[in-house]
Amino acid sequence: MAFLMRLRWTRADSVIMQGVLLAVAFLVSLSTFVTLVWALFAVPSGLTGWLNQVPAHHTPHVPSAVPEVTVLADDAEIRSSEEVVLLFQDPGLRQRLLLAAPVLLWNALALAVVLVVLNLLRSLREGDPFVPANVRRVYTLAALVLFGSLLLPMVGAFCGIALRHGVVEPSEVALVSFTLNPGSGPLAGVLLSLVLVALAEVFRRGSQMRDDVDGLV
């Protein structure tokens, strides 16, 4: 019981969490600014190498090389990967916009999530979390997570197809590739959105019970 009491959410926890979220919002905003400047104003590619590349999967008939790594254990081995990286040394405006689009969309969703969570924390600080506004906020979080988990892979795939068109041999690179397992982005996002919907229902019923109690007083 004493351990559970120490796990109670305090005002200090709320302040720390808000500080962390504001720091995340600042970093995401900085990333958005850098990405926009890179995409629109032809910043030298050497300064933002991580933006110049897009992952792809080669087809099964394309031979894959195994990296030359010395394995010291007898029961271990190094295998090749089906994923390759397409690197643009000097992308044009169209390529820069296609490379930047998934990053900008992810940043927009991240900022929206941070804003909603900050509003939730403010309601906790005021001491009354079971209000209709929080029900809408948690449902908004669920919608953002579901929207992001489904839309982001689609946008990334579309941009990847457009970037690879006319650059690599179509028969040597898979048009679209995805992995569906409990840890994959789309499935994990759908499961998380369902959890948030259940949490929103808890807030809705708590708000309704509070209104019923206030009506009896």
Side-chain angles (χ1 to χ4, degrees):
M1 180 64 69
F3 174 75
L4 293 177
M5 291 296 292
R6 287 196 294 270
L7 292 179
R8 292 181 59 184
W9 189 265
T10 64
R11 182 178 293 271
D13 297 325
S14 181
V15 171
I16 293 173
M17 189 63 178
Q18 288 186 52
V20 171
L21 289 172
L22 289 174
V24 171
F26 171 77
L27 293 175
V28 173
S29 300
L30 181 61
S31 171
T32 302
F33 174 76
V34 171
T35 304
L36 283 173
V37 171
W38 176 84
L40 298 176
F41 299 102
V43 174
S45 301
L47 299 178
T48 53
W50 61 277
L51 281 170
N52 296 15
Q53 56 190 23
V54 58
H57 284 73
H58 57 72
T59 52
H61 70 271
V62 176
S64 55
V66 179
E68 296 182 0
V69 177
T70 302
V71 180
L72 301 178
D74 295 335
D75 58 346
E77 63 178 350
I78 299 295
R79 292 187 177 181
S80 61
S81 174
E82 294 181 357
E83 185 172 279
V84 295
V85 175
L86 177 60
L87 179 64
F88 294 89
Q89 300 293 344
D90 188 20
L93 178 61
R94 172 183 172 275
Q95 292 172 330
R96 287 174 180 259
L97 291 176
L98 289 171
L99 287 166
V103 179
L104 293 175
L105 179 59
W106 189 95
N107 287 353
L109 288 171
L111 285 174
V113 169
V114 168
L115 180 62
V116 174
V117 175
L118 279 173
N119 288 330
L120 278 171
L121 288 176
R122 291 193 182 99
S123 69
L124 288 175
R125 185 177 58 188
E126 295 169 359
D128 190 9
F130 294 105
V131 292
N134 279 347
V135 178
R136 293 192 296 270
R137 288 165 183 157
V138 180
Y139 273 120
T140 300
L141 280 178
L144 288 172
V145 171
L146 181 63
F147 180 74
S149 62
L150 297 179
L151 182 64
L152 277 175
M154 293 175 59
V155 171
F158 173 79
C159 292
I161 293 172
L163 286 165
R164 292 191 295 268
H165 179 70
V167 177
V168 295
E169 179 62 39
S171 61
E172 297 179 356
V173 177
L175 184 64
V176 178
S177 61
F178 64 92
T179 302
L180 191 61
N181 56 54
S184 62
L187 185 56
V190 171
L191 293 176
L192 179 57
S193 65
L194 291 177
V195 172
L196 288 171
V197 168
L199 181 61
E201 182 64 16
V202 171
F203 273 87
R204 188 189 68 80
R205 295 192 180 186
S207 176
Q208 185 178 8
M209 290 176 62
R210 190 211 60 176
D211 293 340
D212 291 343
V213 171
D214 290 342
L216 294 175
V217 176

